[in-house]
Amino acid sequence: MTPLHYYLIFAALLFSVGLAGALMRRNAILVLIGIELMLNAANLNFIAFWRYSPTANELVGLMFVLFSIGIAAAEAAVGLAIIISIYRHHRSTQLQHVDRLKG
Amino acid sequence: MRMLSDIPIAFLMIAAVTLVSAVCAMSLRNLVHCGLCLVLTFVGLAATYLHLSAEFVGFAQVLVYVGAVAILIVFTILLTRNAEVTLSPVSQSSLVGLGIAIAVCGSLVLPLVTSPSLRRLPAQSLAPDAQVQRIGEKLMAQYVIPLEALALVLTAAMIGAVVIAMRDDPERNDPSPSPQNQKDTGSVSNSPAGTALNSSSSTSSSQRP
Amino acid sequence: METLDQIFVLAKHWLVARVPEPLAWLATILLSIGPLITVFASCFAITTIVERKALGRIQNRFGPNRVGPFGLLQPLADGLKMLIKEDLVPAQADKVVHLLAPFALVVPAWLTFSVLPFGRNMTVIDLDAGLLFFFAVGASSELAVFMAGWSSRNKYALMGAMRGIAQMISYEVPLVLSTVAVVMSVGSLSLPSIVEAQSAYVFGMPTWHVFTPWGLSGFILFLIAGAAEANRAPFDLPEAESEIIAGYLTEYSGFKYALFFMGEYLGLFAITGMGITLFLGGWTAPVSFLATTPSWFWFFAKFGAIIALFIWVRGTVPRLRMDQLMKFAWKFLVPLTLVNLVVAAFWHFSGTWQFPGAIFARWLLGAGFIGGAYVTLGRALHTNQFPPRVYAYAE
Amino acid sequence: MLGTGLIQGLMETAKNFVGSYHDEARLVTVQYPEEKIPAKENSRNFPFLVYDGEDPQAGLRCVACQICEKECPPKCIYIVKSKDKKPDYTGKAQLYPATFDIDVSVCMSCQICVEVCPFDAIKMDQVFELSTSDRFATLLLKKTTLAKPNAYFHQIHPTDAAEIDGRLAEEKRKAEEKAKAAAAAKAAAAAAATTGTDPKAPPVGGAAKSPTN
C-alpha cells in the first residue's frame, strides 16, 4: 500500500503548480484554471486522509469532497460568466488591462 | 534497499502524468492546449481517487470536471477570442509570484518529509467500503442539510451565471443605443456562436496594444 | 441448458486455467476485452449494412447488393476503402489535437461497454457505481467533438462542433434524469443488480421496468435523449450533409473518419445496451418458461430490436432544426423526465396498496399523470409558434 | 397531439418496408448492367452514318458535301472528299467521303448536323456506353465505325426511318421515270436519225412527253 505522505506530497506539488499559475499568468482564464487546480489538490488531500483514517467508514472526507466538487463546479460557472462579461466590457481578458480602467 | 514491488509504480505513474499535464496547463502558449492539458490533469486526479478506492468520487470528478467544467472553460476561451492568441512570455513581476509559490510548496512539503508522525501511522490495509448505498444513506441522513444547501448554491450559481453572461439586447429593451454600444467599433455579433465564429476567423491579436 | 447459458464464462475460466500462473491476471483481462471488441466491431459492421439495406427498402429501392451475395460484404469494402483512402490534414489544422480527436471519441465509447451486463455474470467489470461510470465516460465525448471541430480550423467544422456540443449537453440532462427514476426504484447504481431487480416473473409476465407507467415513458425518453446523445436519426444536425457539409467531421478523411464513424455507432450501441439493462430487463427472458434459454441470446435479441427501431426512425423522421432541437430538449424532455421522476416515486410508495384493483389504480393514476403532463407540455411546445399565416390577396 | 404525426410516418415507412418484400412492383430500381431500360425513341447520343444495301462503303448516303462539317458548333466533324465518284441510290454519280471522322469527346450531340444534312446521311445514335481507357485514340470515330445499316436506323428511330425511306423511294421512282423517259427520247431520236438521214427533219410529235429542262 502506498504510504500516506506520497499522496500529500503529490497534492502539495499540485497545489503549488496551481498557485504558481494563478500568480504568474496574466490571462484571467488561466488564473481560474490555477484556482481549479488548487481546489482539486485540496480534494486530493481530503480523500487521502479519509482513506488512511481509522474511522474511514464514517465517509466524512468523502462527503466533504463531494460537496467541494459541487461548489467548485458552481464557482467555475460563475467565474467564467464574470470573465465573459469582463471581456465584453473591456475587450480583453488580460488582467492588467482590467484594473487600469475605472469601469 | 526497498523491494521492487514495494515502490508504488501505479501511483507514481499517475502522479507523474498529472503533474506534467498540470504544469503544461499552466505554461503552454496556446490557451486551448492549456484547457486540454487541464482535462488530462482532471483525468489523472480521477485515476488517483480510484487508486485510493474512492470509486464514486472518481467517477463524479470525471463527470463534473471533464464533462462540464472543461467544456465551460474551453467555451470561454473561444468566446473571449483567446483561441489563437499566443500569450506573452513570463514578465519580471511574475517571477515574484513564482517565488511565492515555491515558498508555499516548500512550507508544505518540508514538514511532510521531516515529520516522524506520518511514518508511524499504520496504513489502512483494507479499503473502507465506500458503497454507493452507504454514501446515499449518509447523504440523506447525516448530511441532508449541506445537500439542500448545495442544491440552493448550484441553482443560484446557475441563474447567476446566466444573468451575468446574458447579453442585454439593446434593441429589445431600450431603443436608444446605450453609450457602451456606440463606442464599439466592430460590434460583436449577437449569438455566442457568432462570437466564436468571429474568434476563429479574426486573425488579429487582441485589440489592445 | 445451464452450460449453454454460461458457455462463454466457462470457456474463459477454462482458458485462463491454461495460462501459466503469473500471467493469469493478464489473461482474464484480455479474455474479457477480446470477445467484447470482436462482438461489437462485427455488430458495427453488420449494422452499417443492415441500416443501408433497410433504409433502401423503406425508400422502395434495394440498398447495396453489389459486393458479395446480397451486398453482405459491403462493410468489408467500406472498411478497406476507408483504410486505403488518403488521410488529408488541413495545413492550418492543429495537427496534434486533430489526430487525438478520433481517439478521444472512440476510447470512451469502448469504455462504456465494460459496465454493461451482456448475460448472467457476463459483465466485464461489475462496478458498484456502474451507471455513474457509464455517464462519466459518456460525458467526455463532447470534448472529443470540440477537439475535432476546433482543430480543423474550418468555420463549418467549428459551427458543427458548437451545435454538437450544445445538443449533447442539453440532451444529457434528460438522459441522466430518466435513469434516476430506475435508480430510485431499484436502489442501486450497479447494473447487474438493476437487472436482478427486473428478473422476477409475475404469473408468466416479467417485471421489467418498461411495464410500469414511469418505466414506459422513461424508456421512450431515454431512447430519444440517447438518440440525440449519439447524434442519431432526427438529431443528426451536427454532421448534417445538407446543412454544414459534415459538421465537425468535415476535415477528416480515411482512417480517422472511419474511427469517428465507428465511435458514433459504438455510442449508439452503448445507449441501446444501457436502455435494455435499465428498462427491458437486461438479459432476462421475456416469458417465464423461456427462462432456461441462454441469457446472452435475449440481450442481443433486444439489442437487434432496438437498433431496428433506431433505423426505422431514421428512415422516417426528418432532421430537426437547431432551435427546435433546443426547445424540444429544454421545454419538453426535461420537464417530462421530472414528472416521470414524480410518478416513479408515487409508484414506489404506492407499492403497499393491498385493495383488489390496486395494480390498475396505480397504473391508471401513474399513466394519467404522465399522459396529462405529456399533452400539456406538447401543446405548450406549439403555442408560441408562428401566428397563423394570413393570405391578404387570397379570395 | 404531439407525436401522432410521427406515428403515421412510422406506419407509412413500415408499409413501404414490408411491401417491398412481397410485391416486386414497388421496387423501382433497374439493376443497370444486367437489366436496361429500353431507350426512348427520341433519345440521342452521338451521330452515325447511314448506308443502304450491304456494302457499308458503297452504300453510304453521304456525298461529302461538308455542310455538316461547317455547321457543327464545336467543329468535331472532319471530312476529306474522295477523288472518284460512285453512283448513289438514284444512280447519279456522286462523290463520297474518303475520310469521315467525328471526335466523340468534342461532340455535344446537338443534332445540328442531322438537321442540315440534305441527304439524310447522318442520324443520331442511341449508344451511350462509349467509355474507353485511353483518352484520344478510340474517341475519334472513323468512317468505318460510324457507318451503320439502314435496318439499324429503322430499329432505333422507326418513324423517322420510315418517313425517310418513303421519301427516298419516291425520289428514286421519279428519277427512274425520268431516266426511262430520257432513254425513250434518246431511242426515238436515234430511230429518227436512222430512218430519214436528212438532218433537218424535226422530231415527229410521237416522242414521249419529255420534260422541258
Side-chain angles (χ1 to χ4, degrees):
Chain A
M1 271 310 295
T2 50
L4 174 60
H5 57 270
Y6 279 55
Y7 292 102
L8 301 185
I9 295 169
F10 172 42
L13 288 176
L14 200 63
F15 182 85
S16 47
V17 166
L19 184 64
L23 294 179
M24 282 163 51
R25 295 309 293 263
R26 311 240 72 78
N27 196 318
I29 298 171
L30 272 174
V31 170
L32 201 121
I33 290 180
I35 294 169
E36 286 296 325
L37 280 183
M38 287 195 259
L39 256 166
N40 277 315
N43 283 351
L44 180 59
N45 256 349
F46 272 116
I47 292 286
F49 277 118
W50 162 74
R51 173 69 179 70
Y52 286 91
S53 75
T55 63
N57 293 335
E58 294 305 313
L59 301 177
V60 174
L62 202 98
M63 289 299 150
F64 205 99
V65 168
L66 283 181
F67 290 127
S68 145
I69 287 180
I71 300 287
E75 170 262 336
V78 173
L80 293 167
I82 291 171
I83 289 176
I84 288 177
S85 56
I86 285 174
Y87 170 79
R88 192 171 295 140
H89 195 66
H90 294 283
R91 281 288 155 271
S92 121
T93 52
Q94 301 295 337
L95 287 178
Q96 72 271 21
H97 299 143
V98 171
D99 61 8
R100 195 176 306 135
L101 293 177
K102 294 294 172 291
Chain B
M1 220 335 254
R2 203 183 280 269
M3 290 226 311
L4 186 63
S5 69
D6 197 5
I7 302 168
I9 306 154
F11 167 71
L12 288 183
M13 274 197 303
I14 298 172
V17 165
T18 318
L19 278 177
V20 163
S21 61
V23 169
C24 288
M26 283 292 116
S27 58
L28 285 182
R29 306 187 67 79
N30 181 335
L31 216 51
V32 175
H33 289 175
C34 287
L36 296 180
C37 285
L38 183 68
V39 166
L40 195 58
T41 318
F42 288 150
V43 171
L45 269 163
T48 323
Y49 292 155
L50 293 181
H51 191 66
L52 280 163
S53 72
E55 266 173 26
F56 188 79
V57 174
F59 300 147
Q61 154 101 351
V62 169
L63 188 65
V64 169
Y65 280 108
V66 173
V69 173
I71 299 277
L72 266 178
I73 290 176
V74 157
F75 261 45
T76 315
I77 293 172
L78 283 181
L79 287 181
T80 53
R81 289 200 196 183
N82 281 318
E84 71 288 331
V85 169
T86 55
L87 299 164
S88 59
V90 176
S91 65
Q92 193 276 336
S93 72
S94 62
L95 285 186
V96 171
L98 187 64
I100 295 171
I102 291 170
V104 163
C105 179
S107 68
L108 285 175
V109 172
L110 233 61
L112 271 178
V113 174
T114 52
S115 85
S117 64
L118 276 183
R119 257 177 225 89
R120 279 198 314 280
L121 194 68
Q124 168 96 345
S125 57
L126 53 93
D129 69 337
Q131 286 284 351
V132 178
Q133 182 102 13
R134 285 177 35 72
I135 295 175
E137 277 153 14
K138 275 217 170 300
L139 270 177
M140 279 300 152
Q142 204 174 350
Y143 297 93
V144 72
I145 299 162
L147 187 70
E148 301 309 333
L150 181 66
L152 277 178
V153 164
L154 283 175
T155 326
M158 187 168 65
I159 296 167
V162 168
V163 164
I164 294 171
M166 191 171 62
R167 160 173 290 282
D168 46 3
D169 235 341
E171 302 83 24
R172 202 160 39 183
N173 37 32
D174 55 351
S176 66
S178 64
Q180 191 255 351
N181 285 323
Q182 272 147 3
K183 175 166 64 58
D184 280 0
T185 49
S187 74
V188 180
S189 71
N190 242 332
S191 65
T195 336
L197 197 63
N198 297 350
S199 69
S200 69
S201 60
S202 68
T203 52
S204 67
S205 69
S206 77
Q207 286 153 353
R208 291 260 161 213
Chain C
M1 254 346 202
E2 195 51 40
T3 54
L4 192 58
D5 178 27
Q6 294 303 311
I7 188 102
F8 298 113
V9 181
L10 297 175
K12 179 183 161 189
H13 290 319
W14 182 78
L15 279 174
V16 164
R18 286 285 162 290
V19 169
E21 192 37 43
L23 289 182
W25 61 276
L26 184 65
T28 44
I29 294 174
L30 290 183
L31 278 176
S32 35
I33 292 176
L36 186 114
I37 289 184
T38 44
V39 162
F40 278 99
S42 51
C43 260
F44 163 60
I46 295 167
T47 316
T48 47
I49 176 67
V50 164
E51 174 155 35
R52 286 173 65 181
K53 283 201 88 70
L55 285 181
R57 286 287 171 169
I58 283 178
Q59 295 150 4
N60 284 340
R61 54 184 172 79
F62 282 114
N65 56 4
R66 287 291 154 188
V67 187
F70 302 109
L72 291 181
L73 296 184
Q74 184 68 32
L76 237 62
D78 288 348
L80 203 59
K81 174 194 75 172
M82 280 299 172
L83 289 178
I84 296 173
K85 264 211 175 139
E86 188 201 358
D87 192 353
L88 289 171
V89 177
Q92 294 291 336
D94 185 325
K95 305 288 183 294
V96 174
V97 180
H98 192 264
L99 175 71
L100 283 181
F103 299 108
L105 186 76
V106 170
V107 164
W110 279 119
L111 278 179
T112 50
F113 288 107
S114 59
V115 208
L116 291 176
F118 302 115
R120 190 168 288 111
N121 55 51
M122 278 165 70
T123 317
V124 177
I125 319 169
D126 183 356
L127 278 178
D128 169 38
L131 192 60
L132 187 63
F133 173 82
F134 180 85
F135 286 122
V137 169
S140 60
S141 57
E142 287 139 15
L143 216 60
V145 163
F146 171 77
M147 282 160 69
W150 177 74
S151 67
S152 20
R153 283 289 192 289
N154 170 336
K155 283 200 221 358
Y156 293 117
L158 192 68
M159 281 298 289
M162 287 292 167
R163 287 183 176 185
I165 293 171
Q167 169 182 323
M168 279 183 174
I169 287 181
S170 45
Y171 277 92
E172 196 167 344
V173 175
L175 188 73
V176 174
L177 279 179
S178 60
T179 55
V180 165
V182 173
V183 170
M184 194 165 65
S185 77
V186 168
S188 139
L189 277 172
S190 132
L191 293 171
S193 63
I194 290 177
V195 171
E196 212 51 50
Q198 300 174 59
S199 55
Y201 290 97
V202 170
F203 35 83
M205 284 293 289
T207 56
W208 293 349
H209 287 142
V210 87
F211 295 132
T212 61
W214 59 271
L216 184 64
S217 65
F219 182 52
I220 296 167
L221 292 171
F222 182 86
L223 286 187
I224 293 174
E229 192 74 21
N231 288 342
R232 266 296 293 189
F235 304 100
D236 51 5
L237 193 73
E239 72 271 346
E241 302 74 20
S242 56
E243 317 265 331
I244 28 176
I245 309 178
Y248 52 89
L249 300 177
T250 319
E251 295 297 342
Y252 282 90
S253 61
F255 188 61
K256 280 188 258 186
Y257 182 79
L259 271 184
F260 264 110
F261 196 55
M262 186 168 87
E264 246 157 60
Y265 269 96
L266 288 180
L268 175 69
F269 294 159
I271 294 287
T272 318
M274 186 49 83
I276 291 169
T277 314
L278 293 175
F279 294 98
L280 287 180
W283 38 263
T284 50
V287 255
S288 56
F289 58 84
L290 282 178
T292 52
T293 51
S295 52
W296 41 267
F297 168 75
W298 292 113
F299 181 86
F300 283 103
K302 297 171 194 166
F303 188 84
I306 294 186
I307 295 288
L309 175 73
F310 273 123
I311 295 173
W312 183 14
V313 166
R314 174 175 177 175
T316 322
V317 187
R319 187 172 295 134
L320 279 175
R321 224 183 26 235
M322 195 59 196
D323 58 331
Q324 291 163 338
L325 205 70
M326 286 300 128
K327 195 160 75 164
F328 184 65
W330 292 105
K331 292 194 176 151
F332 183 75
L333 283 187
V334 170
L336 203 57
T337 38
L338 293 177
V339 165
N340 193 24
L341 264 177
V342 169
V343 172
F346 156 73
W347 183 267
H348 181 72
F349 289 117
S350 69
T352 56
W353 293 356
Q354 290 314 332
F355 58 88
I359 191 81
F360 302 111
R362 288 166 68 201
W363 242 97
L364 210 65
L365 283 171
F369 192 49
I370 293 182
Y374 174 79
V375 170
T376 43
L377 284 170
R379 198 165 295 131
L381 202 60
H382 292 290
T383 46
N384 45 26
Q385 281 292 69
F386 312 107
R389 185 185 291 265
V390 54
Y391 296 95
Y393 302 106
E395 74 283 3
Chain D
M1 199 194 46
L2 186 73
T4 45
L6 180 68
I7 307 293
Q8 282 154 18
L10 286 173
M11 284 312 119
E12 187 57 35
T13 41
K15 215 184 302 147
N16 263 358
F17 183 78
V18 173
S20 71
Y21 278 106
H22 59 74
D23 61 345
E24 292 304 319
R26 277 176 169 277
L27 291 178
V28 293
T29 30
V30 171
Q31 301 296 341
Y32 167 62
E34 290 88 12
E35 314 150 7
K36 285 205 184 114
I37 309 168
K40 299 288 182 297
E41 189 187 339
N42 290 337
S43 73
R44 61 172 190 256
N45 201 3
F46 293 117
F48 74 100
L49 293 174
V50 185
Y51 70 86
D52 303 320
E54 279 57 34
D55 174 6
Q57 298 320 322
L60 265 185
R61 291 184 185 163
C62 173
V63 294
C65 59
Q66 293 182 321
I67 293 178
C68 59
E69 184 177 11
K70 295 180 180 63
E71 288 296 326
C72 176
K75 291 284 173 287
C76 67
I77 299 179
Y78 169 69
I79 298 173
V80 173
K81 287 189 194 272
S82 66
K83 295 294 173 289
D84 58 348
K85 291 186 184 240
K86 69 169 176 57
D88 67 0
Y89 63 96
T90 59
K92 182 166 173 292
Q94 292 275 24
L95 284 170
Y96 61 90
T99 60
F100 190 110
D101 298 348
I102 294 184
D103 186 344
V104 171
S105 60
V106 172
C107 167
M108 58 183 188
S109 55
C110 58
Q111 204 174 350
I112 288 178
C113 52
V114 172
E115 282 146 19
V116 299
C117 173
F119 298 94
D120 299 313
I122 188 165
K123 291 298 169 191
M124 294 308 273
D125 201 345
Q126 292 178 346
V127 170
F128 56 89
E129 287 133 338
L130 292 169
S131 57
T132 58
S133 50
D134 58 1
R135 283 175 57 190
F136 301 107
T138 50
L139 286 180
L140 186 68
L141 299 185
K142 293 276 184 288
K143 181 171 70 164
T144 48
T145 47
L146 283 173
K148 292 202 171 118
N150 193 12
Y152 174 73
F153 182 42
H154 269 278
Q155 186 195 330
I156 49 175
H157 299 302
T159 47
D160 302 355
E163 182 258 339
I164 289 168
D165 276 7
R167 191 152 38 80
L168 290 185
E170 203 270 339
E171 267 173 29
K172 188 167 183 174
R173 190 178 47 72
K174 210 185 298 132
E176 268 150 12
E177 229 170 56
K178 193 154 63 67
K180 205 163 40 284
K186 200 175 326 90
T194 54
T195 57
T197 64
D198 48 3
K200 241 49 90 262
V204 177
K209 41 175 177 40
S210 66
T212 54
N213 52 4

